[in-house]
Amino acid sequence: LVGTGPAEADIRAALHGLPARFMGSKEGAELAQLFAAGDVFAFPSTTETFGQVVQEAMASGVPVVGCDAEGVRDLVQHGVTGLLVPPNDAPTFAAALRILLDDAPRRAVMGHAARAFAETRSWAEVMDNLLALYAEILHTPTLAIDPELDPEDFNLERISA
């Protein structure tokens, strides 16, 4: 397992006694070699906003099993470059991993598709998309709130009653 994070202690405890190796944080060529040596990239995060690590795995030709949440769903095409599972559903996540680990031909096809997708991404494209989104937001008219409105008008309990 490569990397660190808030769940590391729990993962270490869950895998205690199993042949799991914790590699810590890696970067550069060493990280690229570790990605490329993998069969599947497991990414259970539900809070990832950009997904750089997902793109790095895909660029290494590795299919991703990730949660159908935030940035990951923008990168992984379910059934094409990997598998998306509902957030916080460990049994389904494990089953998705098993599907790919048990099916080398499918894993290879998805890995090639993941690599092809990653090759279409560049920092210039990502930044152009982000700047376009900012420009769109800046030019979107906003609703002005009347300062004379009674705050009770926004009481959700009263509105839904």
Side-chain angles (χ1 to χ4, degrees):
L1 297 136
V2 177
T4 62
E8 183 177 353
D10 292 338
I11 294 170
R12 283 182 180 271
L15 298 179
H16 181 73
L18 296 174
R21 225 170 100 194
F22 289 81
M23 308 287 291
S25 292
K26 302 293 178 188
E27 57 185 53
E30 186 177 17
L31 178 60
Q33 288 174 337
L34 289 168
F35 271 127
D39 292 320
V40 177
F41 182 64
F43 193 68
S45 175
T46 60
T47 59
E48 181 64 34
T49 57
F50 178 65
Q52 180 61 27
V53 68
V54 171
Q55 290 185 107
E56 291 170 342
M58 294 170 75
S60 298
V62 178
V64 175
V65 173
C67 292
D68 189 6
E70 300 310 320
V72 176
R73 81 164 54 105
D74 297 329
L75 299 171
V76 177
Q77 290 178 278
H78 181 72
V80 177
T81 61
L83 299 173
L84 294 172
V85 301
N88 304 311
D89 184 346
T92 302
F93 196 93
L97 285 171
R98 180 56 53 205
I99 286 168
L100 292 184
L101 290 172
D102 288 346
D103 190 343
R106 182 176 189 180
R107 202 170 57 237
V109 168
M110 285 185 170
H112 288 293
R115 170 71 186 205
F117 172 78
E119 288 177 352
T120 69
R121 308 275 294 171
S122 70
W123 278 111
E125 176 197 7
V126 169
M127 294 313 296
D128 286 347
N129 290 339
L130 180 61
L131 291 173
L133 179 61
Y134 287 161
E136 181 181 330
I137 291 168
L138 289 172
H139 293 101
T140 300
T142 58
L143 296 174
I145 296 177
D146 184 345
E148 300 299 318
L149 287 176
D150 183 344
E152 193 60 27
D153 291 338
F154 299 101
N155 182 331
L156 294 179
E157 290 175 9
R158 188 176 70 85
I159 292 170
S160 62

